[in-house]
Amino acid sequence: MSSKALDYENLNENVKKCQYAVRGELYLRASELQKEGKKIIFTNVGNPHALGQKPLTFPRQVIALCQAPFLLDDPNVGLIFPADAIARAKQFLGMTSGGLGAYSDSRGIPGVRKEVADFIERRDGYPSDPELIFLTDGASKGVMQILNSIIRGPSDGILVPVPQYPLYSASIQLLGGSLVPYYLEETANWGLDINDLRQSVAQARYKGITVRAMVIINPGNPTGQCLSVANLKQIIQFCHQENLVLLGDEVYQQNIYQDERPFISARKVLLDMGLPLSKEVQLVSFHTVSKGYWGECGQRGGYFEMTNIPPKAVEEIYKVASISLSPNVPGQIFMGLMVNPPKPGDISYDQFVRESKGILESLRRRAHMMTDGFNSCRNVVCAMYSFPQIRLPPRAIETANKLGKAADVFYCLRLLEATGISTVPGSGFGQKEGVFHLRTTILPAEEDMPAIMESFKKFNDEFMEKYEDHKGYSRM
Amino acid sequence: MSSKALDYENLNENVKKCQYAVRGELYLRASELQKEGKKIIFTNVGNPHALGQKPLTFPRQVIALCQAPFLLDDPNVGLIFPADAIARAKQFLGMTSGGLGAYSDSRGIPGVRKEVADFIERRDGYPSDPELIFLTDGASKGVMQILNSIIRGPSDGILVPVPQYPLYSASIQLLGGSLVPYYLEETANWGLDINDLRQSVAQARYKGITVRAMVIINPGNPTGQCLSVANLKQIIQFCHQENLVLLGDEVYQQNIYQDERPFISARKVLLDMGLPLSKEVQLVSFHTVSKGYWGECGQRGGYFEMTNIPPKAVEEIYKVASISLSPNVPGQIFMGLMVNPPKPGDISYDQFVRESKGILESLRRRAHMMTDGFNSCRNVVCAMYSFPQIRLPPRAIETANKLGKAADVFYCLRLLEATGISTVPGSGFGQKEGVFHLRTTILPAEEDMPAIMESFKKFNDEFMEKYEDHKGYSRM
């Protein structure tokens, strides 16, 4: 029997090549253990509702009414829905032709794109054009669509931070391009050194790669840092000199846990810089409803906004979006609600603020709990909450090597088996040679956090006790 | 100023090459006219809710409750939701961990995949494995994912029917593969001639193309026909001989308007054929919540089911699905509801049947109205409702040529300007050289249909009067 098109050996090589660590070996093993009845604490992927975060009430009321428009005529509707949710649902339904069951324009509902543009203007102080905003099924889909427009073949390179969110490495592999890594500096609060960046580009060119775009993840994932204005300016200048499209992954803009370093959008910094840069640097910025105090991952809502992309290219991106007809409409409504939440004076305002503040403050407390918890562990150094460095003893590294595993994969697997805590090894995000991390999220319920950190500490102590020979660690 | 990565001339060539007629020149012109205040009847894309089809009540009640789970504790909930919708919402929420706001497994919620498997078993009489069913954001996304796994480069060919739904041509272009056309026979009720198929493959091989898969659209889009069992058997045998993956686009399985030719799934025919074929022919079947009496396009729910795809390849497809984390969860719930609707005895059963029958019967009447209406028009021949052939007079073809337009594009543009009816020229779907069609949907409201057909007839009469020299038509 000859082999067939959908046999493994005949698959598209780019499909086989791509790796996606967030749902890789650790996740699969965790799922197995869960099936066997073990209690697993999934911190491998930011999925807050799965870990008990409650959805905000107001947006869910509005979407429920949009899904069941016949309720709007029900005399009893006022008994279970507040008047502002009813008004908002009517407003959204008025923006669609045919409600949530109809395909929208492939770029998304015009009225919602206008709400996004208004949000961006309020945030950045510069007007934004709804025609340059495309709604997407979550931010990932937007990123993949833009990368697909840019990448023409293996000699097209995309600068991606290391450590990085593996969406980028996986998408670039899938699209047949080349990832050009640049390293974030752990000792400098995961900041970015422009000289390193220059070197990365020079090295890539030497290999025959044309670097065409640069990804920044701000606030960082998995590192948590916000880039400073000075750093963003350098980046934008660099993109201008090197003729790179800047891709600004800003999905974590609500998740800021350090007051001294607020989030500032790449777009604001670019426009602040004035001519010629403000008219010349191509920028695509991404956002989502999946993060922050919304955490509405399952709804798949996102957008991207294009700055300085010429109309003919925008048209092509529109054409490709139209092949899938339209992003899911409920997800679009969530985006509209996120960028235009209840205002002071609205019936639902107080509850909305109470709920969102409650979540955000709890996330902050958890971030600090986790950072402190990690830092109190033997051989663990944690600059920011979600990406602690684990200084693995040489004997642990040797043992891992013998098992044919990366040392951090080995550590994370042991952690999973011993405690049920499902993390992602740093190697899935990228790290410097010989330096090991793990990535967690801060999303387990706050009341569970002390027990989780204690269970981590106990495991880590035993692990270090077993493998440490009290002579040397892995290098910092 | 040097040109930049997201300037038109530097875009990925595959992005520029791909064409998507359903939202092409005609659609853009129609949108312009609509902006100018003209009343447009969009029949270019199957978007029933946009044309007034009401959503089924029961699924919308269930999804509203799933979106607003706090309602389940509200003492007044029973005043506006029936008990079976409440029970069903609780059941779905129990299948998720974290409700609609949490990412599901990247293949979809296991409980819903089980419901799909049960539906397939009831339909085909053979058990189906939920592990081989992946839920998707509409059928299009599933098709693109499978094509992406198959296509390795320009010498990989995919057999696609002509006329075809342009998703296939656009996706194959975007993925950098080669479309290998095979023609459906208009004079044989749009059936498929295996000898033509053989010839298409031979011609492709001669050009150095390896044909790797064959797409069938059954029931046909835009042609509306159901393939006969005999025809399906020939196709399966052909795929076996030629070592092709069969891709069965079966999204229209609810839309059957000819009693004499029911829908039978490719999977049932394959399994009926027994060994060795039933274990050897690779088949992927696609379905959606966007068509039939559901018409829930904007929700983006779909699935694909894999038959005879080896586990290692399924794993790779799973990995790629996981890059986008999960299909939208509300769309998954719609799929669960579609394959497992209310049963006799349920409170909502009668209403559900009344509503769905009402829609389906109206669609049937409209299909017949349209077929008869077209056939009553000068130089229009319509075998099946949605793809009438227009015999364009030579002078009309010449005029179109002078304007640099395909003759059917010219005709459809004139139709649009004169009547507001927005159709798609047959050239977007593919047709034999010198034969012209247009594609409509049957989705305008039934009460509007007589006026629409009359307006079409009037336009067509005037058009023919103007261009016909009473000597010759374009050939059949």
Side-chain angles (χ1 to χ4, degrees):
Chain A
M1 222 170 86
S2 59
S3 81
K4 308 192 193 81
L6 276 177
D7 287 351
Y8 177 81
E9 53 274 28
N10 293 328
L11 296 182
N12 177 353
E13 285 300 324
N14 290 335
V15 163
K16 287 193 268 185
K17 254 192 331 217
C18 85
Q19 294 196 341
Y20 192 63
V22 172
R23 297 210 165 177
E25 180 177 359
L26 260 288
Y27 173 75
L28 295 174
R29 180 71 188 127
S31 302
E32 269 174 34
L33 288 171
Q34 194 182 35
K35 266 196 184 162
E36 292 166 14
K38 192 173 169 75
K39 189 178 169 259
I40 302 295
I41 302 144
F42 283 100
T43 76
N44 59 304
V45 61
N47 197 5
H49 292 201
L51 293 171
Q53 183 177 313
K54 291 265 173 306
L56 299 168
T57 305
F58 180 76
R60 291 300 192 95
Q61 287 169 329
V62 175
I63 199 81
L65 287 164
C66 288
Q67 285 284 17
F70 41 81
L71 293 183
L72 296 169
D73 306 322
D74 192 301
N76 291 315
V77 67
L79 294 175
I80 58 175
F81 289 98
D84 55 350
I86 294 170
R88 200 65 195 281
K90 285 183 181 165
Q91 196 192 356
F92 277 120
L93 290 172
M95 289 180 186
T96 68
S97 47
L100 272 51
Y103 296 124
S104 70
D105 185 287
S106 306
R107 298 167 296 186
I109 299 165
V112 174
R113 289 188 283 131
K114 176 74 171 64
E115 288 186 284
V116 173
D118 292 345
F119 155 77
I120 293 172
E121 178 167 357
R122 284 193 307 277
R123 186 194 65 189
D124 293 344
Y126 295 97
S128 162
D129 180 356
E131 300 290 300
L132 300 175
I133 293 165
F134 282 30
L135 304 181
T136 53
D137 288 307
S140 308
K141 287 283 165 68
V143 168
M144 290 168 91
Q145 204 189 319
I146 295 296
L147 288 175
N148 190 24
S149 301
I150 295 175
I151 296 171
R152 298 165 301 187
S155 65
D156 276 347
I158 311 288
L159 272 166
V160 173
V162 173
Q164 55 107 21
Y165 181 60
L167 163 67
Y168 293 95
S169 46
S171 302
I172 293 167
Q173 285 161 333
L174 192 61
L175 295 165
S178 291
L179 186 149
V180 180
Y182 67 90
Y183 286 89
L184 300 177
E185 255 319 309
E186 189 161 12
T187 50
N189 208 12
W190 292 114
L192 182 164
D193 184 333
I194 288 290
N195 292 322
D196 281 0
L197 209 55
R198 265 184 241 290
Q199 219 179 338
S200 295
V201 172
Q203 274 173 11
R205 292 220 173 105
Y206 183 76
K207 289 186 208 155
I209 290 170
T210 311
V211 181
R212 306 191 81 217
M214 171 173 179
V215 173
I216 53 172
I217 308 178
N218 181 37
N221 178 7
T223 55
Q225 92 294 356
C226 280
L227 293 171
S228 67
V229 173
N231 220 175
L232 281 165
K233 279 189 180 164
Q234 288 179 307
I235 290 165
I236 289 166
Q237 239 138 15
F238 178 77
C239 287
H240 190 245
Q241 284 157 11
E242 303 290 339
N243 205 16
L244 308 179
V245 181
L246 182 58
L247 304 179
D249 177 335
E250 301 178 335
V251 300
Y252 283 97
Q253 59 190 272
Q254 286 178 347
N255 305 56
I256 312 301
Y257 312 122
Q258 294 184 315
D259 291 323
E260 62 279 17
R261 183 71 71 78
F263 165 75
I264 295 155
S265 77
R267 181 170 174 278
K268 175 173 170 47
V269 176
L270 171 60
L271 298 183
D272 279 349
M273 289 172 86
L275 294 172
L277 277 74
S278 61
K279 287 278 180 211
E280 291 186 2
V281 174
Q282 296 189 326
L283 167 67
V284 186
S285 310
F286 302 89
H287 201 3
T288 182
V289 302
S290 302
K291 307 298 171 193
Y293 44 93
W294 286 69
E296 291 278 9
C297 304
Q299 313 281 358
R300 314 310 290 122
Y303 77 76
F304 59 85
E305 186 203 17
M306 295 172 280
T307 306
N308 298 326
I309 314 296
K312 259 189 96 174
V314 174
E315 251 176 56
E316 293 298 305
I317 294 167
Y318 184 12
K319 181 184 71 183
V320 170
S322 72
I323 300 173
S324 314
L325 293 159
S326 83
N328 88 81
V329 177
Q332 299 182 39
I333 303 291
F334 272 100
M335 183 51 85
L337 288 161
M338 185 177 91
V339 296
N340 189 12
K343 290 181 183 43
D346 292 354
I347 302 165
S348 298
Y349 179 73
D350 287 345
Q351 186 186 9
F352 183 83
V353 169
R354 199 169 55 244
E355 288 176 353
S356 48
K357 260 202 171 167
I359 294 167
L360 207 51
E361 280 166 8
S362 167
L363 286 171
R364 270 179 177 242
R365 285 193 298 272
R366 282 179 268 172
H368 290 292
M369 247 187 255
M370 215 166 218
T371 308
D372 296 348
F374 283 132
N375 280 321
S376 77
C377 289
R378 192 159 146 186
N379 296 345
V380 179
V381 182
C382 185
M384 296 279 274
Y385 62 100
S386 60
F387 204 60
Q389 186 187 142
I390 316 288
R391 300 190 184 170
L392 291 174
R395 276 207 296 125
I397 300 173
E398 278 162 35
T399 309
N401 289 345
K402 276 184 205 148
L403 295 168
K405 294 196 186 298
D408 55 354
V409 173
F410 172 68
Y411 179 89
C412 290
L413 276 171
R414 285 290 155 98
L415 172 66
L416 172 67
E417 308 270 353
T419 64
I421 304 173
S422 165
T423 59
V424 187
S427 48
F429 291 78
Q431 51 199 355
K432 290 192 177 169
E433 181 78 29
V435 185
F436 302 103
H437 298 83
L438 63 83
R439 190 250 189 163
T440 65
T441 66
I442 53 167
L443 297 171
E446 190 171 348
E447 60 272 26
D448 298 340
M449 203 61 104
I452 291 171
M453 291 315 292
E454 198 174 312
S455 146
F456 174 81
K457 192 177 167 69
K458 182 164 169 284
F459 159 79
N460 182 71
D461 273 348
E462 287 168 10
F463 184 94
M464 294 302 168
E465 195 55 44
K466 183 166 175 190
Y467 291 104
E468 218 171 18
D469 56 7
H470 304 278
K471 282 181 209 142
Y473 311 150
S474 74
R475 66 177 180 84
M476 167 69 194
Chain B
M1 221 172 84
S2 59
S3 81
K4 308 192 194 81
L6 277 176
D7 286 351
Y8 177 79
E9 53 274 28
N10 293 326
L11 295 182
N12 177 353
E13 286 300 323
N14 291 334
V15 163
K16 287 193 267 185
K17 254 190 336 213
C18 83
Q19 295 195 342
Y20 190 64
V22 172
R23 298 211 166 175
E25 181 178 358
L26 261 288
Y27 173 76
L28 295 174
R29 180 71 188 127
S31 302
E32 267 172 37
L33 288 171
Q34 192 182 36
K35 265 195 184 163
E36 293 165 14
K38 191 171 169 77
K39 191 180 167 257
I40 301 296
I41 302 144
F42 283 100
T43 75
N44 59 305
V45 60
N47 196 6
H49 292 202
L51 294 171
Q53 183 176 311
K54 291 264 174 304
L56 299 168
T57 305
F58 180 76
R60 291 299 194 98
Q61 288 168 327
V62 175
I63 200 80
L65 288 164
C66 288
Q67 285 284 17
F70 41 81
L71 293 183
L72 297 169
D73 305 324
D74 191 303
N76 291 316
V77 67
L79 293 175
I80 57 176
F81 290 98
D84 55 351
I86 295 171
R88 199 66 194 282
K90 285 183 181 166
Q91 196 191 356
F92 277 121
L93 290 172
M95 289 179 186
T96 69
S97 47
L100 271 51
Y103 296 125
S104 69
D105 186 287
S106 306
R107 298 167 296 187
I109 299 165
V112 174
R113 289 188 283 131
K114 176 74 171 64
E115 288 186 285
V116 172
D118 292 344
F119 155 77
I120 293 172
E121 177 166 358
R122 284 194 307 275
R123 185 194 66 188
D124 293 344
Y126 295 97
S128 163
D129 181 355
E131 300 291 301
L132 300 175
I133 293 165
F134 282 30
L135 304 180
T136 53
D137 287 307
S140 307
K141 286 283 166 68
V143 168
M144 290 168 91
Q145 205 188 320
I146 294 297
L147 288 175
N148 190 24
S149 302
I150 295 175
I151 295 172
R152 297 165 302 187
S155 64
D156 276 346
I158 311 290
L159 273 166
V160 173
V162 173
Q164 53 109 22
Y165 181 60
L167 163 67
Y168 293 95
S169 46
S171 302
I172 292 167
Q173 283 162 334
L174 192 61
L175 294 165
S178 291
L179 186 146
V180 180
Y182 66 90
Y183 286 89
L184 300 177
E185 255 319 310
E186 190 162 9
T187 50
N189 207 12
W190 293 114
L192 183 163
D193 183 332
I194 287 291
N195 291 324
D196 281 0
L197 209 54
R198 263 184 243 290
Q199 218 180 339
S200 296
V201 172
Q203 274 173 10
R205 291 223 174 105
Y206 183 75
K207 291 186 206 155
I209 291 170
T210 312
V211 181
R212 307 191 80 217
M214 171 174 180
V215 174
I216 54 172
I217 309 179
N218 181 38
N221 177 7
T223 54
Q225 93 294 356
C226 279
L227 293 171
S228 67
V229 172
N231 221 175
L232 281 165
K233 277 189 180 165
Q234 288 179 306
I235 291 165
I236 290 166
Q237 238 137 15
F238 178 75
C239 287
H240 190 245
Q241 284 157 10
E242 302 290 339
N243 205 15
L244 308 179
V245 180
L246 182 59
L247 304 179
D249 178 336
E250 301 179 335
V251 299
Y252 283 96
Q253 59 190 272
Q254 286 178 346
N255 303 56
I256 311 301
Y257 311 122
Q258 294 184 315
D259 291 324
E260 62 278 20
R261 185 69 72 78
F263 165 75
I264 295 154
S265 77
R267 182 171 173 278
K268 177 174 169 48
V269 175
L270 171 61
L271 298 182
D272 279 349
M273 289 172 86
L275 293 173
L277 278 73
S278 62
K279 287 279 179 208
E280 291 186 3
V281 174
Q282 296 189 327
L283 167 68
V284 186
S285 310
F286 302 89
H287 201 5
T288 183
V289 302
S290 301
K291 307 297 170 194
Y293 43 92
W294 286 70
E296 291 279 10
C297 303
Q299 314 281 359
R300 314 309 290 119
Y303 76 75
F304 60 84
E305 186 204 18
M306 296 171 278
T307 307
N308 298 327
I309 313 296
K312 259 188 97 174
V314 173
E315 249 175 60
E316 293 297 305
I317 294 166
Y318 184 13
K319 181 185 70 185
V320 171
S322 73
I323 300 174
S324 314
L325 293 158
S326 82
N328 89 81
V329 177
Q332 299 182 37
I333 304 290
F334 272 99
M335 183 51 85
L337 287 160
M338 185 177 91
V339 296
N340 190 11
K343 290 180 183 46
D346 292 354
I347 302 165
S348 299
Y349 179 74
D350 287 345
Q351 185 186 8
F352 183 84
V353 169
R354 197 168 57 242
E355 289 175 352
S356 48
K357 261 202 171 165
I359 294 168
L360 207 51
E361 280 165 8
S362 167
L363 286 170
R364 271 180 176 242
R365 285 192 299 271
R366 283 178 268 172
H368 289 292
M369 248 187 253
M370 215 166 219
T371 308
D372 296 347
F374 283 132
N375 281 323
S376 77
C377 289
R378 191 157 147 188
N379 296 345
V380 178
V381 182
C382 185
M384 296 280 274
Y385 61 100
S386 59
F387 204 60
Q389 186 187 144
I390 316 287
R391 299 190 185 172
L392 291 174
R395 278 207 297 123
I397 300 173
E398 278 161 35
T399 310
N401 288 347
K402 276 184 205 147
L403 295 168
K405 292 196 188 297
D408 54 355
V409 173
F410 172 68
Y411 179 90
C412 291
L413 275 171
R414 286 289 156 98
L415 173 66
L416 172 66
E417 308 271 352
T419 65
I421 303 174
S422 164
T423 59
V424 187
S427 47
F429 291 79
Q431 51 199 355
K432 289 191 178 171
E433 182 79 30
V435 184
F436 302 104
H437 297 82
L438 64 81
R439 190 248 189 165
T440 67
T441 65
I442 52 167
L443 297 171
E446 191 171 347
E447 60 271 26
D448 298 339
M449 203 62 104
I452 291 172
M453 291 315 293
E454 199 173 311
S455 148
F456 174 82
K457 192 177 168 69
K458 182 164 168 285
F459 158 78
N460 182 71
D461 272 349
E462 287 167 10
F463 183 95
M464 294 301 167
E465 196 54 44
K466 181 165 177 192
Y467 291 103
E468 218 171 17
D469 55 8
H470 303 279
K471 284 185 206 136
Y473 311 150
S474 76
R475 67 176 180 82
M476 165 69 195

